[in-house]
């Protein structure tokens, strides 16, 4: 089993936020969460070290609450990426497996790529492998230096690079795999004689070459995987990249998405083929959507939603924590939350499941059985159950359970006063 070190001590000044950079979110999951999950999903690592510094307490708390196999190590002050990794030396004194190093602010890295990368490291019998990428505009990245035979020599940071070196398009993605026993002593030999006066992690490549180690670079296939977040603009762009990836997966699986550019689908959403997603639909959290469903336009699924086959969720319909069975329609202006809705139910326009009591702060369930018809603008005040086949008259407020096959209606009778208007006009 290998260990991972995830660098997350940096300040993130350009986010202009009181929230630490790595705790910003995409689809409600933190940037750091994406990175730890990607490592965990490889199934290769048994322990993750997260290097914290800026707003350390908040990042520590996040890791403690969410990851049993991760621990935080404080880096204070922050003297550079090489210094950051050296913080784990006391914990890995006798470790002789591989260590992978990643950054907490590159959330789009995938477990598949990490697996391939480690595999490449092993098959090339490498001691030190770095992920590189070819960028048309390599500005601000460290550049990979190779000798005339193509062998990786080292990395030069943009700020230290000569004009010639700045033309190199192969960049350092900032992800490394090390044979720990062979490379660990590099960290006590790093120097700060560079433009930024920092201990550069990148210097371990040159060190490796000088010490006769086998140093290699694995070239990335999809450059978006190492897209780094430094600003809110980057955060928005990363969300788009991630969304596009999710949408492409569903399109390839046979889901129809009319307008990918206005559709948002969280990575944890499963959708079966032949379902159609209409424009401006926002799907967040974990959801399971069956076959032949129609969702949107302008629908909002907020997580915990299970839709069986042939369900229709129309415009301005919001659904949260609900299981809706097959052939049920909620076509317009509806909120369904904390609910179980049977099969072949018609949910009229403007129907609301009132699941939340703001005084007690309690949420309660609404159960709607098969074949129920709910008239427009009705409110079902949870906890409440509407049994099979019942009709709810339009504009009803349902505060009690309704037995099967009944009509429930709370509307005042319609009154018609003839010529009433004429009498008002003098
Ligand atoms: C680094 C690489 C560069 C590479 C780029 C890829 C070095 C010297 N340079 O540059 O070659 O192209 O990443 O994105 O490594 N951090 C700490 N403690 C520190 C300093 C940084 O934990 O003392 C963390 C930061 O929070 C961040 C990561 O390390 O997550 C990278 O640091 P950053 O300063 O962004 O490095 P770059 O200048 O981008
Ligand atoms: Ca960076």
């Amino acid at each position: 089993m290998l260990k991972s070190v995830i660098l997350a001590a940096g300040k993130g000044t350009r986010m202009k936020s009181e929230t630490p950079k790595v705790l910003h979110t995409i689809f409600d999951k933190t940037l750091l969460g994406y990175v730890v999950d990607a490592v965990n999903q490889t199934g290769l690592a048994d322990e993750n070290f997260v290097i914290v510094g800026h707003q350390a307490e908040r990042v520590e708390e996040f890791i403690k609450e969410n990851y049993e196999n991760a621990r935080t190590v404080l880096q204070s002050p922050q003297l550079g990426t090489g210094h950051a990794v050296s913080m784990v030396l006391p914990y890995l004194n006798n470790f002789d497996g591989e260590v992978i190093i990643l950054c907490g602010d590159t959330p789009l890295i995938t477990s598949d790529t990490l697996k391939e990368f480690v595999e490449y490291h092993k098959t090339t019998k490498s001691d030190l492998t770095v992920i590189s990428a070819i960028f048309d505009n390599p500005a601000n990245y460290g550049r990979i230096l190779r000798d005339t035979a193509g062998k990786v020599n080292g990395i030069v940071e943009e700020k230290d690079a000569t004009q010639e070196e700045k033309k190199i398009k192969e960049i350092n993605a900032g992800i490394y795999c090390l044979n720990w026993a062979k490379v660990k002593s590099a960290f006590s030999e790093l120097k700060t004689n560079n433009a930024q006066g920092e201990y550069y992690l990148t210097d371990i490549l040159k060190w490796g070459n000088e010490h006769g180690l086998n140093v290699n670079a694995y070239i990335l296939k999809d450059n978006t995987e190492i897209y780094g977040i430094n600003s809110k603009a980057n955060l928005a762009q990363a969300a788009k990249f991630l969304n596009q990836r999710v949408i492409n997966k569903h399109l390839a699986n046979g889901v129809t998405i009319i307008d990918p550019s206005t559709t948002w689908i969280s990575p944890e959403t499963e959708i079966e083929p032949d379902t159609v997603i209409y424009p401006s639909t926002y799907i967040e959290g974990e959801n399971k959507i069956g076959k032949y469903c129609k969702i949107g336009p302008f629908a909002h699924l907020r997580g915990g939603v299970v839709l069986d086959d042939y369900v229709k969720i129309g415009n301005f319909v919001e659904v949260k924590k609900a299981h809706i069975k097959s052939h049920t329609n909620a076509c317009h202006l509806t909120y369904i939350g904390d609910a179980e809705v049977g099969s072949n139910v018609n949910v009229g326009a403007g129907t609301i499941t009132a699941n939340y009591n703001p005084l007690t702060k309690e949420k309660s369930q609404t159960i709607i059985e098969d074949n129920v018809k709910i008239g427009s603008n009705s409110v079902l005040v949870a906890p409440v159950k509407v049994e099979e086949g019942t009709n709810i008259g339009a504009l009803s407020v349902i505060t009690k359970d309704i037995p099967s096959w009944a009509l429930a209606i709370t509307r005042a009778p319609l009154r018609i006063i003839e010529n009433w208007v004429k009498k008002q006009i003098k």
Side-chain angles (χ1 to χ4, degrees), residues 12-282:
T13 317
R14 279 178 287 161
M15 296 302 279
K16 305 229 170 103
S17 170
E18 287 176 0
T19 302
K21 175 160 87 174
V22 294
L23 297 189
H24 280 75
T25 57
I26 298 175
F27 281 121
D28 257 353
K29 178 158 136 184
T30 65
L31 305 182
L32 182 55
Y34 280 99
V35 179
V36 182
D37 285 351
V39 173
N40 281 338
Q41 280 157 16
T42 64
L44 297 170
D46 62 350
E47 200 178 11
N48 305 301
F49 294 90
V50 179
I51 310 299
V52 298
H54 183 70
Q55 293 207 51
E57 306 77 41
R58 289 186 60 186
V59 184
E60 278 163 8
E61 192 184 304
F62 167 76
I63 289 294
K64 217 182 229 150
E65 277 175 11
N66 294 283
Y67 294 100
E68 275 182 1
N69 69 349
R71 62 191 297 172
T72 51
V73 182
L74 185 66
Q75 182 203 16
S76 175
Q78 290 108 43
L79 304 177
T81 48
H83 178 248
V85 177
S86 73
M87 297 296 112
V88 303
L89 285 168
Y91 302 92
L92 297 177
N93 231 335
N94 300 314
F95 180 66
D96 70 351
E98 317 296 321
V99 171
I100 53 172
I101 302 168
L102 308 96
C103 290
D105 60 359
T106 49
L108 303 184
I109 189 74
T110 64
S111 60
D112 285 347
T113 292
L114 291 176
K115 275 195 273 190
E116 251 188 72
F117 169 55
V118 173
E119 194 53 41
Y120 175 86
H121 173 85
K122 289 189 174 155
T123 53
T124 54
K125 299 202 166 43
S126 187
D127 299 312
L128 204 174
T129 313
V130 60
I131 298 189
S132 71
I134 312 296
F135 275 22
D136 283 339
N137 175 12
N140 299 323
Y141 285 96
R143 310 294 207 283
I144 303 287
L145 304 175
R146 291 179 184 264
D147 65 17
T148 43
K151 189 83 189 130
V152 176
N153 261 344
I155 297 172
V156 61
E157 289 304 289
E158 162 112 355
K159 286 181 180 144
D160 301 289
T162 62
Q163 285 309 322
E164 248 347 88
E165 288 167 338
K166 280 186 186 159
K167 290 183 191 151
I168 298 170
K169 291 190 183 321
E170 185 179 10
I171 62 96
N172 168 27
I175 301 175
Y176 313 78
C177 183
L178 323 179
N179 176 322
W180 186 248
K182 288 190 180 169
V183 180
K184 68 178 176 189
S185 51
F187 292 98
S188 24
E189 293 179 30
L190 294 177
K191 306 255 158 38
T192 57
N193 54 347
N194 53 53
Q196 302 184 78
E198 290 180 357
Y199 295 97
Y200 284 172
L201 175 55
T202 45
D203 286 347
I204 63 174
L205 275 81
K206 186 159 173 263
W207 184 94
N209 277 311
E210 285 167 0
H211 289 75
L213 302 186
N214 185 9
V215 179
N216 292 286
Y218 165 90
I219 303 173
L220 200 65
K221 292 178 187 130
D222 173 2
N223 287 350
T224 65
E225 290 202 31
I226 53 135
Y227 187 78
I229 313 294
N230 293 308
S231 64
K232 294 282 165 73
N234 293 155
L235 187 66
Q237 183 59 57
K240 274 200 165 171
F241 282 143
L242 180 64
N243 189 48
Q244 191 60 53
R245 197 187 279 173
V246 171
I247 283 181
N248 289 347
K249 176 189 80 180
H250 291 302
L251 291 172
N253 285 347
V255 177
T256 301
I257 296 170
I258 309 261
D259 180 15
S261 71
T262 62
T263 302
W264 288 84
I265 305 176
S266 64
E268 296 84 12
T269 296
E270 291 171 31
I271 310 176
E272 290 193 47
D274 288 318
T275 277
V276 183
I277 314 277
Y278 290 86
S280 295
T281 291
Y282 192 76

